Amino acid sequence: AQKITQTQPGMFVQEKEAVTLDCTYDTSDPSYGLFWYKQPSSGEMIFLIYQGSYDQQNATEGRYSLNFQKARKSANLVISASQLGDSAMYFCAMRVIQGAQKLVFGQGTRLTINP
Amino acid sequence: EAQVTQNPRYLITVTGKKLTVTCSQNMNHEYMSWYRQDPGLGLRQIYYSMNVEVTDKGDVPEGYKVSRKEKRNFPLILESPSPNQTSLYFCASSAGQETQYFGPGTRLLVL
């Protein structure tokens, strides 16, 4: 069965520090996609970054990068130079079943940035 | 502006009273989904649709119905809501394999 595991229920980081949010996944499908979403206290789901299973390079989007280690089945999110506005819930998700657009989500990590 | 809209954003209802949560996207996306979010469980897919008149069950479909008569709309129907359907609901849409765009969410309380 496909599964996403986020082992850090909460993290506290000083402003301007880099932070790594852990995500491991489990699937037997050779073709899959990995996503990270941010959910601020207002509740909306904001797409951050995407990594395809066949992508050779790690995905980057501004201050966000995805540390993709296929052999270890991990897809950690790295946020560089954290800001107070980064405080939110972060979800790792995996797309399974080509064409069906089903996302399987982890339980999330609550990130708090301290000034 | 490209977006997914949901209505209502907040709803309090009573057990057994049928309700519909609407979802509409203006991006001409083929794929649409409904998810529910509960504390400690992340988001779980309820139903999804790959195109007009093509829908299928997700992980937690019990107690829900959907329809896809038009490409832009994907309403979620609770025929007889129960308290265990109290949750935060998200509609999402996508065109391809990369990004799903989420609506703003609907907070539902069933008394």
Side-chain angles (χ1 to χ4, degrees), chain B residues 99-110:
Chain B
T99 306
Q100 286 205 11
Y101 295 90
F102 282 80
T106 294
R107 292 190 182 273
L108 173 64
L109 173 62
V110 183

Side-chain angles (χ1 to χ4, degrees), chain A residues 3-62:
Chain A
K3 187 178 180 182
I4 291 283
T5 302
Q6 295 180 254
T7 58
Q8 306 152 311
M11 285 193 69
F12 296 85
V13 173
Q14 286 299 118
E15 190 180 8
K16 299 181 184 176
E17 288 184 352
V19 57
T20 297
L21 304 182
D22 294 341
C23 172
T24 58
Y25 61 93
D26 187 22
T27 181
S28 57
D29 193 330
S31 177
Y32 52 89
L34 297 156
F35 301 76
W36 277 93
Y37 286 88
K38 172 184 178 181
Q39 187 178 41
S41 57
S42 51
E44 71 266 32
M45 295 291 287
I46 302 169
F47 166 74
L48 295 178
I49 197 166
Y50 166 82
Q51 179 86 41
S53 59
Y54 294 118
D55 293 344
Q56 294 296 313
Q57 296 197 337
N58 287 344
T60 61
E61 289 286 347

Side-chain angles (χ1 to χ4, degrees), chain B residues 47-94:
Chain B
Y47 268 95
Y48 65 92
S49 169
M50 289 189 281
N51 214 323
V52 175
E53 303 291 0
V54 181
T55 63
D56 207 348
K57 297 177 180 179
D59 293 323
V60 288
E62 293 78 20
Y64 304 94
K65 287 174 58 177
V66 293
S67 67
R68 188 92 181 272
K69 293 184 170 56
E70 306 166 281
K71 199 172 187 178
R72 64 183 291 127
N73 296 323
F74 191 44
L76 179 69
I77 304 157
L78 285 71
E79 293 272 3
S80 182
S82 62
N84 65 12
Q85 292 179 297
T86 292
S87 189
L88 176 58
Y89 291 87
F90 286 100
C91 180
S93 75
S94 66

